[in-house]
Amino acid sequence: MGLQDLITALKKNSEKCQSQFEPFQRTDYAELYDVTLNLDADKEIRAHKCVLMSRLEYFNMMFNHSWSETDSVNLKSVSIDYMLPIIDFLYSNNINEIRSAKYSDNYLYNIITICDQFFVIDLKTIFELIASEKISVKNCGEILEFAFTYNCEILKNCCMQFISLNFSRILEYRSLEGTDPNVLKQMNKFYRQFFSLEAYRTITPYANAISDEDLERFVSDFTVNLQGTRSPDEDYGKQKLKAKNMK
């Protein structure tokens, strides 16, 4: 399934989930707030325990056990810029609102990381789709490595498809240089399956590949004599000697 197919399917699912009732907002029934999320820079979010518990396993486990009687949660390591969209999404489940906003690349990386940390799978999937729209020839290696690190299956698949379809330009820009060798092995496997290749066009780290300078030096004094004839044994012996000298 391609990127556009995923986006279309997501929009259709969103339309199917629309209810005749107005979506529940975090600001509704403020008089019934019973928990405070304490965030970075002394910011806080007031919310309802019942909503958080029903929507997210992280809070369900927390309030069902040792913190069942607490009215505050310490999340000082998280900025309100990232936690507020997550909490509001738990209330409204409004996919279109998330998709219509504008995000920087750095924001997307951070919010995906936080969604992964709190197991907000639905929201993580949406932000992966948004991030996949920003894949380019220059940043595909960076995004691919990020996707592998944080188990972003959709972003990973979109990135590998993009690399496979734009492989020549990506090699020209050396966009995969410095990418983790284990990631390149997975990329190589995907690439060969994508084009039904068997034993050629293998993607390898640049560190183990012959450099342009060595290749040019190797062929610098090669000449082609279209008139004369030479013994195959003679040609083989000279090439073997030359390769040995280069080592």
Side-chain angles (χ1 to χ4, degrees):
M1 180 180 289
L3 173 59
Q4 194 57 46
D5 294 330
L6 287 170
I7 295 174
T8 302
L10 189 62
K11 288 181 177 179
K12 287 183 178 179
N13 289 337
S14 175
E15 293 171 357
K16 289 179 181 178
C17 292
Q18 290 181 352
S19 169
Q20 58 179 328
F21 302 105
E22 288 294 324
F24 188 38
Q25 303 294 334
R26 181 179 56 84
T27 52
D28 295 340
Y29 305 104
E31 68 277 8
L32 299 180
Y33 285 152
D34 55 357
V35 66
T36 302
L37 308 181
N38 298 312
L39 306 169
D40 182 45
D42 294 326
K43 301 292 184 179
E44 63 179 33
I45 298 175
R46 297 280 289 156
H48 307 86
K49 279 186 183 181
C50 60
V51 175
L52 301 186
M53 291 176 65
S54 63
R55 292 282 283 138
L56 208 58
E57 185 66 22
Y58 178 88
F59 290 114
N60 185 38
M61 294 289 293
M62 176 184 295
F63 295 131
N64 263 333
H65 294 84
S66 57
W67 289 11
S68 57
E69 300 300 325
T70 188
D71 57 0
S72 65
V73 179
N74 184 2
L75 297 174
K76 292 288 188 179
S77 61
V78 184
S79 169
I80 193 171
D81 295 333
Y82 300 107
M83 186 55 69
L84 187 58
I86 293 176
I87 298 301
D88 285 345
F89 177 77
L90 297 181
Y91 276 84
S92 67
N93 204 40
N94 193 331
I95 295 175
N96 294 327
E97 181 179 351
I98 296 293
R99 288 195 54 80
S100 62
K102 303 296 182 182
Y103 307 100
S104 67
D105 293 352
N106 189 59
Y107 183 93
L108 287 174
Y109 292 153
N110 288 334
I111 193 72
I112 289 174
T113 302
I114 294 172
C115 287
D116 182 70
Q117 176 184 348
F118 289 96
F119 305 105
V120 194
I121 305 302
D122 292 343
L123 192 56
K124 180 185 175 185
T125 299
I126 297 170
F127 280 116
E128 284 184 50
L129 285 170
I130 296 173
S132 68
E133 297 173 351
K134 295 178 175 289
I135 298 173
S136 69
V137 170
K138 293 185 177 180
N139 68 12
C140 58
E142 174 189 343
I143 294 180
L144 180 62
E145 198 158 9
F146 173 84
F148 270 90
T149 301
Y150 292 98
N151 301 312
C152 303
E153 293 300 325
I154 292 177
L155 182 59
K156 183 195 307 180
N157 186 64
C158 291
C159 197
M160 290 194 292
Q161 285 189 38
F162 179 88
I163 292 173
S164 298
L165 295 172
N166 299 274
F167 194 55
S168 297
R169 292 184 61 204
I170 289 168
L171 287 182
E172 180 182 351
Y173 280 91
R174 303 178 73 90
S175 302
L176 297 179
E177 187 171 6
T179 304
D180 185 90
N182 292 324
V183 174
L184 288 179
K185 287 181 181 179
Q186 295 299 317
M187 179 64 237
N188 176 60
K189 181 179 179 181
F190 179 91
Y191 180 82
R192 292 169 66 184
Q193 292 176 345
F194 190 75
F195 289 110
S196 300
L197 303 176
E198 293 298 330
Y200 55 95
R201 287 193 178 185
T202 299
I203 302 173
T204 60
Y206 281 97
N208 297 331
I210 185 171
S211 67
D212 294 341
E213 293 77 12
D214 288 340
L215 185 59
E216 290 175 359
R217 188 168 69 252
F218 184 77
V219 301
S220 60
D221 60 348
F222 274 23
T223 58
V224 178
N225 184 356
L226 299 178
Q227 302 299 325
T229 58
R230 303 180 65 179
S231 168
D233 293 336
E234 181 184 353
D235 290 342
Y236 175 75
K238 288 186 176 181
Q239 292 178 14
K240 185 175 181 181
L241 179 61
K242 185 173 183 178
K244 183 178 180 181
N245 291 336
M246 287 190 64
K247 293 181 179 179

